[in-house]
């Protein structure tokens, strides 16, 4: 395949990736965006196979079959509740692939040329460093989300100093390579140091901040892929990597803004760590009164309401209750109740987690209300049904200047006439702080598994 045709087809691929991002920006067109992106990737793979210099097609095909089979099985079998873990895992694999390509390129080029051009050696170093950090960090994020290790921040004395020294060592090794000291062991040491840094970088970050971390590591993987594109002189890799890096960075900033916290605070604040002071503050709320209700009582409230807002959270995801929630909403609508869903941007464990779950249950897009759209409507809402959400509905973020989440935009469910919270127990959420909403006189608690509770509510409404 001649170079001009290759560049034209690669340009087509780049355009499809840009269009895919455009369509992915709205739930109604997200499926089309995925299809366009997949078609563009198919073109890129076909063009790559048409290039000269490929020594063994069979080795590439074997890798594609193994990887494709794993991806297809994972996509079909992994539950929607485990989607954040899969995103973290796949994102880490991308970063690891970029690091391995940089290692292979250095192994092939350095001995042959004697001295690499500094632009090539610089991109190899960047790809190795960023890709390794992304891989190791994503594996830790996966382990935390999968509860293989604790979700609380894991901290130790001198943590920031140790991390800074490891990163400085990696950067120093990279500078030495770019300066001309092109030794295999030095790049291997850089890779090992970057892997250790990636682990130590994510360990101190709590589960509540995992959505931001996943987004940031996704941006890292994009930058590593772009650097790999410069190594391989591949325009598709450069552009697609920069698209991922830019979109991931913007999403990270938006997520931080949604929590009213700086990215530095997310990465280095060890948010969610349990301390003696926090425990004492939590104990001070024990004097409040928590009112529990039966499913039959709540069913009456819902059946005779005019407007109901459903506020989903991670508890709904864990219980896999999205289909039951949709059935309850349909039943209420058949009785003339106006039903909407209030979506907080950081509800769940990854950006858009609640949107994905509700889309799986075929909830109409028109019923999904973003936070800025939902908050003005709570004052005319009869019942706010909170299903497994905690920190994103905590009034302390609005009212208590001493709270760790003070200033974080929340869903103002306490403005509704009545609030019903479906929750397993009174345990705090990811942030590790108590929620005064549960003590509000307008609030009643319906304890139990969210799926079972919603099923009981549906049965109660039908019985009326």
């Amino acid at each position: 395949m001649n170079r001009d045709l290759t560049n034209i087809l690669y340009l087509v691929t780049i355009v499809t990736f840009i269009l895919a991002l455009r369509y992915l920006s709205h739930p109604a067109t997200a499926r089309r965006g995925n299809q366009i992106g997949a078609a563009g990737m198919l073109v890129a793979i076909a063009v790559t196979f048409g290039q000269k210099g490929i020594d063994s097609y069979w080795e590439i095909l074997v890798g594609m079959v193994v990887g494709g089979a794993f991806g297809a099985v994972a996509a079909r079998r992994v539950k929607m509740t485990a989607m954040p873990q899969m995103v973290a895992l796949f994102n880490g694999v991308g970063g690891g692939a970029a690091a391995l390509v940089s290692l292979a390129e250095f192994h092939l080029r350095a001995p042959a040329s004697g001295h690499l051009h500094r632009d090539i050696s610089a991109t190899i170093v960047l790809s190795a460093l960023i890709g390794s950090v992304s891989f190791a960090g994503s594996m830790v994020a996966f382990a935390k989300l999968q509860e293989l290790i604790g979700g609380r921040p894991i901290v130790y004395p001198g943590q920031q100093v140790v991390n800074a020294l490891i990163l400085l060592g990696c950067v120093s090794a990279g500078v030495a390579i770019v300066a001309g000291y092109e030794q295999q062991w030095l790049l291997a040491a850089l890779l090992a140091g970057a892997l250790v840094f990636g682990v130590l970088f994510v360990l101190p970050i709590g589960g509540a901040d995992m959505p931001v971390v996943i987004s940031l590591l996704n941006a890292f993987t994009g930058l590593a892929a772009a650097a790999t594109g410069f190594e391989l002189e591949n325009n598709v890799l450069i552009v697609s990597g920069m698209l991922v890096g830019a979109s991931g960075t913007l999403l990270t900033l938006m997520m931080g803004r949604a929590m009213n916290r700086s990215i530095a605070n997310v990465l280095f604040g060890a948010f969610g760590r349990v301390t003696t002071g926090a425990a004492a503050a939590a104990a001070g709320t024990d004097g409040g009164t928590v009112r529990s209700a039966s499913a039959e009582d709540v069913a009456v409230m819902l059946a005779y309401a005019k407007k109901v807002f459903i506020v989903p959270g991670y508890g709904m995801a864990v219980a896999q209750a999205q289909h039951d929630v949709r059935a309850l909403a349909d039943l209420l609508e058949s009785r003339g109740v106006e039903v909407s869903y209030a979506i907080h941007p950081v509800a769940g464990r990854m950006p858009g987690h609640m949107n994905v779950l509700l889309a799986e249950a075929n909830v109409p897009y028109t019923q999904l209300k973003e936070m800025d759209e939902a908050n003005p409507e709570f004052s005319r809402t009869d019942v706010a049904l909170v299903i497994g959400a905690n920190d994103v509905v905590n009034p302390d973020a609005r009212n208590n200047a001493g709270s760790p989440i003070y200033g974080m935009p929340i869903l103002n469910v306490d403005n509704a006439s009545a609030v019903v919270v479906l929750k397993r127990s009174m345990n705090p959420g990811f942030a590790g702080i108590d929620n005064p909403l549960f003590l509000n006189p307008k609030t009643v608690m319906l304890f139990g598994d969210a799926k079972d509770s919603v099923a009981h509510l549906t049965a109660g409404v039908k019985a009326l």
Side-chain angles (χ1 to χ4, degrees):
M1 185 178 294
N2 64 59
R3 188 173 182 83
D4 290 340
L5 180 59
T6 297
N7 288 334
I8 290 173
L9 292 176
Y10 275 161
L11 179 61
V12 171
T13 300
I14 291 169
V15 171
T16 61
F17 289 166
I18 295 173
L19 287 175
L21 277 178
R22 171 67 181 83
Y23 284 116
L24 286 169
S25 64
H26 193 279
T29 57
R31 185 187 298 272
R32 189 185 310 164
N34 270 323
Q35 293 169 345
I36 292 173
M41 182 58 71
L42 182 62
V43 172
I45 293 172
V47 173
T48 301
F49 265 88
Q51 303 305 301
K52 297 178 181 178
I54 297 179
D55 295 327
S56 175
Y57 286 96
W58 289 108
E59 292 179 3
I60 298 174
L61 285 172
V62 168
M64 290 178 62
V65 169
V66 172
F70 178 82
V73 171
R76 297 186 70 87
R77 291 192 177 182
V78 171
K79 297 176 181 178
M80 297 302 290
T81 52
M83 196 59 64
Q85 292 94 302
M86 192 178 78
V87 170
L89 183 63
F90 282 6
N91 177 66
V93 169
L100 289 176
V101 169
S102 69
L103 185 62
E105 283 295 299
F106 188 81
H107 178 73
L108 291 173
R109 292 194 184 204
S113 61
H115 288 287
L116 295 172
H117 290 292
R118 288 189 176 179
D119 57 343
I120 297 298
S121 60
T123 55
I124 287 176
V125 165
L126 287 174
S127 179
L129 176 61
I130 300 173
S132 297
V133 170
S134 176
F135 172 76
S138 296
M139 293 304 104
V140 175
F142 167 80
K144 286 199 171 195
L145 293 171
Q146 193 66 19
E147 298 181 355
L148 300 177
I149 60 178
R152 297 291 183 189
I154 300 174
V155 297
Y156 50 88
Q159 163 197 318
Q160 304 294 356
V161 175
V162 171
N163 288 359
L165 289 175
I166 294 174
L167 181 59
L168 180 62
C170 293
V171 172
S172 299
V175 170
I177 292 172
V178 175
Y181 191 68
E182 298 168 357
Q183 299 295 319
Q184 298 281 346
W185 69 266
L186 190 57
L187 184 63
L190 185 152
L191 283 167
L195 290 171
V196 173
F197 177 79
V199 172
L200 299 180
F201 174 68
V202 178
L203 278 178
I205 302 174
D209 291 328
M210 276 302 116
V212 182
V213 174
I214 291 174
S215 178
L216 180 64
L217 292 173
N218 183 58
F220 283 2
T221 295
L223 294 176
T228 303
F230 281 105
E231 295 170 29
L232 303 177
E233 299 179 0
N234 187 299
N235 293 333
V236 171
L237 268 179
I238 295 172
V239 175
S240 59
M242 292 309 297
L243 285 173
V244 173
S247 58
T249 301
L250 287 173
L251 182 57
T252 302
L253 295 173
M254 291 170 63
M255 298 288 283
R257 191 178 304 118
M259 297 188 297
N260 196 39
R261 294 168 58 207
S262 67
I263 302 304
N265 180 263
V266 170
L267 299 179
F268 308 117
F271 187 75
R273 177 174 40 174
V274 177
T275 64
T276 303
T285 64
D286 289 344
T289 301
V290 174
R291 297 190 305 146
S292 62
S294 67
E296 291 75 16
D297 293 336
V298 176
V300 171
M301 295 169 60
L302 294 173
Y304 293 102
K306 292 183 179 179
K307 181 176 176 62
V308 171
F309 248 116
I310 297 173
V311 182
Y314 188 66
M316 185 188 77
V318 171
Q320 302 181 50
Q322 60 269 25
H323 294 281
D324 301 87
V325 170
R326 168 68 194 276
L328 174 61
D330 289 346
L331 179 60
L332 292 175
E333 288 179 322
S334 69
R335 297 177 61 96
V337 180
E338 179 187 348
V339 179
S340 300
Y341 298 77
I343 309 297
H344 193 283
V346 295
R349 289 190 174 182
M350 73 173 186
H353 195 180
M354 297 300 105
N355 301 72
V356 171
L357 290 172
L358 294 173
E360 185 198 19
N362 295 317
V363 172
Y365 301 128
T366 54
Q367 291 185 348
L368 304 183
K369 308 289 185 181
E370 298 298 332
M371 180 174 58
D372 292 339
E373 186 180 1
N375 274 340
E377 296 189 28
F378 280 117
S379 59
R380 61 182 187 87
T381 297
D382 297 303
V383 182
L385 186 63
V386 180
I387 307 177
N390 198 328
D391 302 321
V392 297
V393 294
N394 191 331
D396 270 355
R398 189 181 63 238
N399 304 326
N400 183 4
S403 172
I405 62 171
Y406 180 69
M408 170 182 165
I410 61 166
L411 291 166
N412 299 323
V413 297
D414 53 331
N415 289 339
S417 299
V419 180
V420 179
V421 179
L422 275 59
K423 193 170 167 60
R424 287 179 179 271
S425 68
M426 289 299 294
N427 289 335
F430 279 145
I433 58 177
D434 281 353
N435 190 341
L437 174 69
F438 305 155
L439 310 177
N440 191 309
K442 294 192 295 185
T443 301
V444 295
M445 309 292 295
L446 180 56
F447 293 109
D449 177 81
K451 186 179 181 68
D452 293 338
S453 295
V454 173
H456 291 150
L457 291 177
T458 303
V461 173
K462 286 181 179 178
L464 294 174

